[in-house]
Amino acid sequence: MYLTLREIPRELCLGENIMASSFLWRTLGRTKLLPSHTLGCPAARTEWYRNFWWTPRLFGVAPIKLHMPALSPTMEDGTILSWLKKEGDPVAAGDALCEIETDKATLTMDADDDGVLAKIIVPGDTKNVPINALIALMVPEGEDYTQVEMPTETGIPSAAADTPTEAPRPAPTEEAPSEWMSMRHVAGGKGQVDLSPAVRYLVESNRLDPALIVPSGPHGRILKGDVLRFLAGDPSAKRQEAALPAPSPPTPVAAPPPPPPPPPAPVAQPPVPPAPAEEDEFVDIPHTSMRRTIAKRLTQSKTTVPHAYSSIDCEMNSVLRLRKQLQGSGVKVSVNDFIIKAVAQALKSVPEVNAQWTGEAVQMLSNVDISVAVATDKGLITPIVTDVPSRGLQNISETVKELAGRARIGKLMPQEYQGGTFSVSNLGMFGVGQFSAIINPPQACILAIGGSRVQVEPTEEGHRTKTVMTVTLCSDSRVVDDALASKFLEGFKENLENPFKAALL
């Protein structure tokens, strides 16, 4: 296939100065050299042209491919919620292209290069897009985005492509023999008979009963000749029991008079069948990326980490009095802020608990970063309060509120929920008295906080009331044994019951 004048614009012949330099024409994977008159130049010129450069009009614009990024270490796929740029919009490096929901949060994908967004391959509101899948194409600045060259890979595979289509099978008929029967078929009649393919075809096509045919082959097999003789009406090919004469009728004997009919039996009413139970109605709620990741990690934790549980009661009277005093001074802090601070102080006193299991060794961590469990509509997430020992109560309170607010709308950055050395989960505010939590690997512990309750304690003067809270330490017994867990809980209890002495402020 040679390039004709209609296929190459006239302006590609740029004059006498470059007539000697020709153009490289690529077609069907081969290189063809074209004479000068093929390009519409004088036929007297016999130079051959080389170096036929790519042009957008003939070959399209080479694209800049945009793939699904891995926005977190645990991300395997994501959901493209929406595109912030449209096809044809100019894009500068650092511009947000689209919003992607990962297994933990909703993040934006930023452009790495300048150019024009040419083609959106995976539209918005597309779920389960695997990482490294092609999602869009860009072209460099100054290029015609409508002439972008489409690659062979086109984003995520469709559901129809993932499901293998089964070829329709013809409806079985009585006349047609089955294709999947073995070469030596055993047909049923009055007895099982071994048939060869040719005999089977004659038997099934003529709708014969093999049990009525007299076999003449070895081991009682029916041969093709036996069937042909049977069809021809040869009596020797039919079994004798099929041709036996009908028995003579017996001599009639006078029958005795019939007995009187019995009295009619009472007609039983048919049982009324029970009314069919109404089918239960249900609604399928699709899994979000976060929910799938939570299920995977919790199952992994519960099946691979040996959980141990230790509980202790803490008196909360001193903390409640101090909190009331701070509120009178205009400082608003919660009981959970005191708990986070008391956990950090206890980890500084018992650093062996602030560790992680790696399989090769137990890593003792110097930084104390507390992961605080926050419930969202899409699942549980644990934003991290870093370097808690150096923070005051008011700073801890403001940080937790800010992180929890962004966690509920899915706006946390990966570094704000990945990591942490110790977790705290508080269900006391929901009325739960005591519970056990599941460890978040590779962390070794999580502290489950229950609700407060009032108890009456006898004294020498009579009795007094106190507010008590039960906490449960869920620990990895490979890292924290029972004695170490008890030591940590005693330190935590001491800090919480004596907030001034523990310098929780």
Side-chain angles (χ1 to χ4, degrees), residues 181 184-195 200 203-204 210-211:
M181 304 175 79
R184 298 187 65 186
H185 172 65
V186 177
K190 296 182 179 179
Q192 291 187 345
V193 184
D194 193 7
L195 303 179
R200 172 164 49 88
V203 169
E204 293 180 350

Side-chain angles (χ1 to χ4, degrees), residues 387-444:
D387 196 16
V388 178
S390 64
R391 296 175 182 262
L393 274 178
Q394 190 171 4
N395 182 272
I396 293 175
S397 178
E398 294 172 352
T399 303
V400 171
K401 290 178 182 177
E402 193 266 339
L403 290 174
R406 287 195 289 116
R408 291 187 177 96
I409 60 176
K411 296 298 182 181
L412 288 177
M413 301 300 293
Q415 63 271 17
E416 293 176 327
Y417 58 80
Q418 294 173 5
T421 63
F422 191 98
S423 293
V424 173
S425 179
N426 190 346
L427 293 182
M429 61 189 73
F430 300 105
V432 177
Q434 182 181 358
F435 72 102
S436 299
I438 300 178
I439 299 171
N440 184 22
Q443 296 179 8

